[in-house]
Amino acid sequence: MVRQISSEINRPSLPPLSKLYTTLTLIILLIDLAYSSVTCGPDIKSVGGTVPSGDIILEYGSGVPLEITCILQSDTIIVQNLFRDRMDSNNKTKFPSHRIVFYKNDEIVPRQYVTIVNATAAQLRIPNPPAGRNTYYCTLLLDYEPRQNDSYDKSDGNDSSTILSSDSSTFPPVQLATTSSVTNESHQLGSQLGVCLNTVYVGHKPEIIRNFSCISYNWVSLRCNWNPSENAIKTTYSLIFRLPGRAGGRIFINCPTDSDIRENTCYWDFNTTPMYRQPYEYYDFRLNGQNVLGNTSTFINFHHYANIIPARPINITIIDKTESSVMLRWSVGAMTDFPRELIHKIEYKSQWDSNFEQWHSINISDKCNAPILSNKTNTFLYDMNCQERDDDFYYFNVTNLKYPFTYYDFRIYVRSSLANGEDKWSLPGCITLKTKSSIPKRPPTIDVGSFECIRSRNDKTKRDVFIYWQKIDDREKCGDSFEYRAYYNLNSKKNETIIYSSNEIYESYAKFQGLSTSVGYNFTVYSSNNEGLSTEYSTIYVPSESERLEKPILLTKMVFDQQGVFELSWKNSGSTKLSTPDEQNYYTLFWCENVKGHPYQCNGYVNWTHVPGTEFRRNVTILNYSANNHYQFAISANSRRLLSNDTNSYHQNNYNSSGMVWESCTIQNNITARKIENVWVNVIGSTFIGLKWNIDCTDRIGLVGEYQIFYCSVVSISSNICHGSMLSKTISREAAQKDGGFTLLSNLKPYTTYIVSIAISTNYGKGIHSDPLLVTTLRLGRDTHTQFDFN
């Protein structure tokens, strides 16, 4: 049973408690008889019921309060027993209705919302019930003696405290109990008996739908959806529409099924009844909402052709292609006969595009603009973003593709020209292709000093020349069978130019054997594939040995703990010329990533940087550093003649170079953790000891500031403990280099054992002591000295 408005029970006034007991008993009996017929519902045995019974429906915000009266049946044994004991510990008369407690779901309703109507009835009244679905039920407290803080039994209506202020364990949420389950009258203190319940729905009338949307898929079906606002009261919506025109305007068409009522959606296609109306550009929809509170209608003028999402383009094929263009053909299936213009979008990307998510995009129209005559060139200019079509297919020529001999992924989309927004594009139709090959785009890059000359051991008039280059990216190779080709040419006695090819060629260098040391050579390097040689070529001039600049010396590499960071240092030769006003001197630092280190020839990627001629130290950071590879470094000294026209041609008249000199020493940057390994006694006497050690590349680049020799006499031959103070002697780096790593410790005691060690001192701190040597001086007057040489 559903009731929209709750009934109200008039509350009879009770006579004063000072009246005779017989009079009070008579009144109570009359009241009990008046409500003895109230029950909780069919087939529910209970000690009472509620008015109204069943579900209660209220309109939110209407001002109508929620009122539920819980009434006990006085003819039940439980209620009668409660009448027998009506006095509490304060001699205050208590009726069974004082034992009625109201719950909202699992929570006790505060006392301020409950009024005692009479001896067997209490009323719940909530002025502005919240929106939603809630269950209200009333219970009867059994064998309950109220405590001082139990405000639910206080008569003062202004008291806002609730039963929850007492021990909540006394009033747990309960299930409704039947009278048969409690007839034994054996109940624990504070137990409760369910009386009745109501489900209360507080909601609103159907609202206007504002999120109605319809999408036609590929112009063969139509689906509409909407989402009503939340409403505790059951509300249904039904959808109908009519078509424009005199006949269509008189007929309303229903949803083919009741999915609009059940699921807030409706679907039409060519097989539904009624069927999908494909040819109409506009529909007039009416969405009717209904519930017990009222009805409403939402009217929508739907632009059918602006809300079509086509299927993905099909039958995509390649009609023609070149190294930089491709002619595509495709069809659109059911959309072929669509009466409005279609917009197409082509996206593509190559295998070389670094950002995998970024696509190049072309928006193309269904119609081509008429050609326009250009006054400047007297030729016709065409709209490059238009496409051709016939009855079944669309065509478009994608031009200006950047990479020949490259895989491209293409995606083709389509949508109605009337559609707004990016959400109406079809799914893409996809195809992958490879553009045609072409000759390489460019030759490898060469620096003026990227060559190395090695004289023949057997014939000093001959030399092998290595030409190095920076190889081109794979994306620029443009075809199969890619390789580099290197040549030089000479004029014969008959004034004929003879071209000579390299003896060996690799990824990063070419080798020419047995060239003259007294002749300068011009070399050319091409990129090549099965389509031919690159149009351009790189040149480098290798002068004769007498013309070459002096090589830099002592190229040293320091490896830092930070991976990929190196420090290079070098010196110039003593005969290096200074720059003149019409000449510029500079260095080129080369590095090459290789599987093996020097002296293996470098065949990896070669890179370089130019350094002013006044510098002799430079830090180099290698990008994409790999700890699994070796990095070889080289240097060349270069000279460039400054010409008035600022030409930079690598011609022998403009440039000269020493060629490449590879590194000869590698140092770890933790130099302070290094100790001198090779220390020995070179000479010994009764009052002196001569020490010698190997000077390595650490010393030659100026990292070592000085050497410190520590020594002292020991307690015994088998002990390293000093007998007295530790003595020291400091040797400058220059003095050590001049003397070849030698120093003399003098003023020693004869026939005494000394412990000796050496440590280096650098700009980064002091190094570790060398392994100690125990040395005993000679006896006085026997041998003047004994010399050892282990160098």
Side-chain angles (χ1 to χ4, degrees):
M1 177 178 180
V2 177
R3 297 288 301 275
Q4 180 176 345
I5 307 288
S6 64
S7 300
E8 182 174 348
I9 298 176
N10 294 324
R11 186 181 352 167
S13 59
L14 297 177
L17 296 178
S18 61
K19 296 290 185 180
L20 295 175
Y21 174 76
T22 54
T23 305
L24 180 60
T25 303
L26 178 61
I27 295 174
I28 292 173
L29 291 175
L30 291 175
I31 294 173
D32 291 342
L33 290 174
Y35 295 108
S36 62
S37 62
V38 176
T39 63
C40 188
D43 301 325
I44 297 178
K45 293 181 180 181
S46 177
V47 296
T50 56
V51 177
S53 62
D55 295 344
I56 300 173
I57 297 178
L58 299 174
E59 184 175 2
Y60 178 71
S62 64
V64 177
L66 169 63
E67 293 181 343
I68 302 174
T69 302
C70 184
I71 304 170
L72 303 176
Q73 291 184 358
S74 60
D75 56 352
T76 61
I77 296 175
I78 296 174
V79 177
Q80 290 177 2
N81 289 338
L82 295 177
F83 270 112
R84 294 173 186 171
D85 185 12
R86 296 191 302 274
M87 304 301 291
D88 60 15
S89 59
N90 297 322
N91 293 322
K92 186 177 180 181
T93 302
K94 304 300 290 186
F95 296 111
S97 58
H98 286 86
R99 298 173 177 267
I100 295 175
V101 179
F102 283 92
Y103 283 84
K104 175 187 176 184
N105 300 323
D106 293 337
E107 297 180 357
I108 296 176
V109 177
R111 175 68 178 84
Q112 66 193 72
Y113 298 110
V114 180
T115 304
I116 302 300
V117 177
N118 55 39
T120 57
Q123 185 185 61
L124 169 71
R125 188 177 192 275
I126 300 178
N128 296 299
R133 176 187 181 277
N134 296 284
T135 300
Y136 290 83
Y137 58 93
C138 58
T139 66
L140 179 63
L141 301 180
L142 301 175
D143 300 333
Y144 171 67
E145 179 66 24
R147 292 182 289 272
Q148 184 177 359
N149 294 331
D150 293 342
S151 60
Y152 199 87
D153 288 317
K154 293 181 180 179
S155 60
D156 186 1
N158 295 325
D159 194 333
S160 61
S161 53
T162 70
I163 288 182
L164 290 177
S165 65
S166 64
D167 184 4
S168 61
S169 64
T170 309
F171 308 100
V174 298
Q175 299 290 332
L176 287 178
T178 63
T179 55
S180 59
S181 65
V182 294
T183 53
N184 58 8
E185 302 182 18
S186 58
H187 305 288
Q188 295 181 357
L189 180 65
S191 62
Q192 302 180 62
L193 182 67
V195 179
C196 199
L197 62 81
N198 299 84
T199 301
V200 179
Y201 300 88
V202 181
H204 48 77
K205 297 176 182 178
E207 293 186 345
I208 298 295
I209 298 299
R210 305 189 185 280
N211 54 14
F212 180 86
S213 65
C214 298
I215 291 294
S216 170
Y217 177 72
N218 202 35
W219 204 36
V220 296
S221 66
L222 179 67
R223 180 179 294 277
C224 296
N225 298 281
W226 57 95
N227 291 314
S229 59
E230 292 186 6
N231 196 345
I233 301 172
K234 182 179 180 181
T235 304
T236 60
Y237 288 86
S238 59
L239 182 65
I240 59 177
F241 71 87
R242 61 185 179 182
L243 300 169
R246 305 182 68 181
R250 295 193 297 268
I251 301 173
F252 279 94
I253 302 171
N254 296 321
C255 186
T257 65
D258 64 347
S259 62
D260 53 346
I261 297 174
R262 292 183 293 104
E263 302 172 358
N264 297 316
T265 185
C266 192
Y267 174 81
W268 298 267
D269 62 23
F270 297 137
N271 297 318
T272 59
T273 303
M275 66 183 297
Y276 172 51
R277 300 302 204 272
Q278 185 189 49
Y280 291 89
E281 185 169 352
Y282 289 91
Y283 290 16
D284 288 326
F285 282 107
R286 188 169 78 186
L287 190 59
N288 298 318
Q290 180 180 9
N291 65 21
V292 297
L293 298 180
N295 302 315
T296 189
S297 293
T298 303
F299 298 91
I300 303 105
N301 180 250
F302 174 63
H303 193 179
H304 178 200
Y305 286 177
N307 289 277
I308 293 176
I309 298 180
R312 68 177 77 233
I314 56 176
N315 302 321
I316 302 175
T317 54
I318 308 302
I319 302 302
D320 189 22
K321 65 180 180 179
T322 67
E323 68 274 11
S324 61
S325 67
V326 57
M327 174 67 79
L328 299 172
R329 183 183 73 178
W330 67 94
S331 62
V332 293
M335 296 294 293
T336 301
D337 299 322
F338 186 63
R340 297 292 183 268
E341 180 184 354
L342 295 177
I343 301 296
H344 299 259
K345 178 173 65 174
I346 297 178
E347 293 182 339
Y348 65 90
K349 64 179 178 181
S350 78
Q351 69 184 90
W352 307 119
D353 289 329
S354 57
N355 187 347
F356 187 76
E357 299 299 326
Q358 184 175 358
W359 294 71
H360 306 277
S361 183
I362 307 172
N363 284 332
I364 52 180
S365 172
D366 201 1
K367 297 179 181 179
C368 293
N369 298 327
I372 302 173
L373 181 64
S374 171
N375 295 328
K376 292 183 179 180
T377 61
N378 200 30
T379 58
F380 286 100
L381 302 177
Y382 291 88
D383 183 359
M384 298 305 295
N385 283 350
C386 72
Q387 62 188 355
E388 301 176 4
R389 67 167 298 183
D390 53 30
D391 292 339
D392 299 314
F393 293 98
Y394 290 85
Y395 303 84
F396 188 79
N397 190 31
V398 181
T399 58
N400 298 321
L401 299 179
K402 189 174 181 179
Y403 304 111
F405 197 63
T406 295
Y407 284 104
Y408 280 87
D409 292 325
F410 283 87
R411 303 193 301 200
I412 304 177
Y413 303 80
V414 61
R415 76 173 183 186
S416 166
S417 61
L418 302 176
N420 294 319
E422 294 297 308
D423 59 338
K424 301 298 189 300
W425 287 105
S426 70
L427 292 174
C430 303
I431 192 172
T432 299
L433 57 91
K434 193 173 188 178
T435 50
K436 286 188 173 181
S437 58
S438 70
I439 61 173
K441 285 185 173 293
R442 65 176 181 87
T445 304
I446 292 179
D447 185 75
V448 63
S450 56
F451 66 89
E452 181 184 13
C453 299
I454 300 178
R455 285 202 180 194
S456 170
R457 293 183 178 180
N458 300 323
D459 186 352
K460 298 301 182 182
T461 64
K462 301 294 183 183
R463 57 179 174 170
D464 294 339
V465 177
F466 295 83
I467 304 296
Y468 290 88
W469 54 78
Q470 189 178 78
K471 55 187 179 182
I472 68 175
D473 293 336
D474 290 341
R475 69 188 71 182
E476 300 175 290
K477 294 180 178 178
C478 303
D480 281 324
S481 303
F482 180 85
E483 62 180 353
Y484 299 102
R485 296 188 182 181
Y487 306 93
Y488 73 91
N489 58 73
L490 288 176
N491 292 327
S492 67
K493 295 180 179 179
K494 299 180 180 180
N495 289 328
E496 296 176 347
T497 302
I498 304 175
I499 299 175
Y500 296 89
S501 180
S502 60
N503 300 96
E504 300 175 18
I505 196 157
Y506 301 92
E507 281 289 306
S508 297
Y509 70 95
K511 180 180 181 181
F512 296 85
Q513 295 177 336
L515 302 187
S516 173
T517 58
S518 60
V519 176
Y521 296 88
N522 278 307
F523 295 89
T524 56
V525 183
Y526 296 81
S527 297
S528 172
N529 61 20
N530 56 357
E531 297 292 330
L533 295 176
S534 57
T535 302
E536 299 178 350
Y537 55 87
S538 296
T539 64
I540 184 172
Y541 175 70
V542 178
S544 64
E545 290 298 305
S546 60
E547 295 174 330
R548 276 206 298 157
L549 296 180
E550 290 292 328
K551 297 178 182 178
I553 60 174
L554 304 179
L555 178 62
T556 303
K557 173 180 69 179
M558 176 178 282
V559 182
F560 287 86
D561 292 335
Q562 183 181 357
Q563 291 187 340
V565 179
F566 301 87
E567 182 182 272
L568 283 302
S569 59
W570 61 94
K571 292 185 176 182
N572 61 2
S573 62
S575 58
T576 301
K577 297 179 181 180
L578 298 177
S579 297
T580 60
D582 62 345
E583 186 179 56
Q584 181 185 31
N585 294 337
Y586 64 97
Y587 297 101
T588 303
L589 280 177
F590 301 88
W591 59 93
C592 175
E593 181 180 348
N594 205 30
V595 177
K596 296 181 179 181
H598 194 72
Y600 292 95
Q601 212 69 39
C602 186
N603 197 32
Y605 187 79
V606 178
N607 207 345
W608 55 79
T609 185
H610 293 156
V611 180
T614 55
E615 294 186 15
F616 301 97
R617 189 183 303 272
R618 174 63 64 97
N619 278 12
V620 174
T621 300
I622 295 179
L623 302 177
N624 302 318
Y625 173 83
S626 173
N628 296 324
N629 292 327
H630 294 270
Y631 292 89
Q632 300 172 221
F633 289 83
I635 190 171
S636 68
N638 314 307
S639 174
R640 181 169 74 95
R641 186 183 299 275
L642 301 177
L643 303 179
S644 58
N645 59 0
D646 199 28
T647 179
N648 288 320
S649 172
Y650 289 163
H651 190 271
Q652 62 180 5
N653 293 329
N654 299 335
Y655 281 86
N656 196 3
S657 177
S658 65
M660 301 167 70
V661 180
W662 293 98
E663 65 189 72
S664 58
C665 179
T666 299
I667 304 170
Q668 297 297 322
N669 78 311
N670 55 347
I671 185 66
T672 57
R674 172 185 165 270
K675 66 179 180 179
I676 299 176
E677 297 292 343
N678 297 319
V679 181
W680 67 94
V681 176
N682 177 259
V683 64
I684 188 171
S686 58
T687 59
F688 59 87
I689 297 174
L691 293 179
K692 195 167 179 61
W693 64 93
N694 284 333
I695 296 178
D696 60 12
C697 61
T698 304
D699 305 36
R700 74 187 191 192
I701 63 170
L703 286 177
V704 173
E706 56 190 14
Y707 295 87
Q708 287 186 306
I709 296 89
F710 298 92
Y711 62 100
C712 68
S713 61
V714 295
V715 174
S716 67
I717 252 182
S718 60
S719 172
N720 291 342
I721 300 176
C722 287
H723 182 268
S725 302
M726 174 70 73
L727 304 176
S728 66
K729 180 180 181 180
T730 300
I731 307 296
S732 67
R733 176 176 58 86
E734 291 78 9
Q737 289 180 339
K738 179 180 178 181
D739 296 333
F742 173 82
T743 188
L744 191 68
L745 301 178
S746 57
N747 297 323
L748 305 181
K749 295 179 180 180
Y751 198 57
T752 302
T753 301
Y754 288 84
I755 184 170
V756 182
S757 66
I758 302 178
I760 60 174
S761 177
T762 72
N763 297 330
Y764 302 96
K766 292 185 178 181
I768 301 174
H769 287 228
S770 64
D771 294 335
L773 295 176
L774 286 174
V775 185
T776 303
T777 56
L778 300 179
R779 293 178 184 274
L780 184 62
R782 294 190 61 181
D783 297 324
T784 54
H785 69 270
T786 302
Q787 184 168 341
F788 309 91
D789 193 354
F790 302 100
N791 194 1

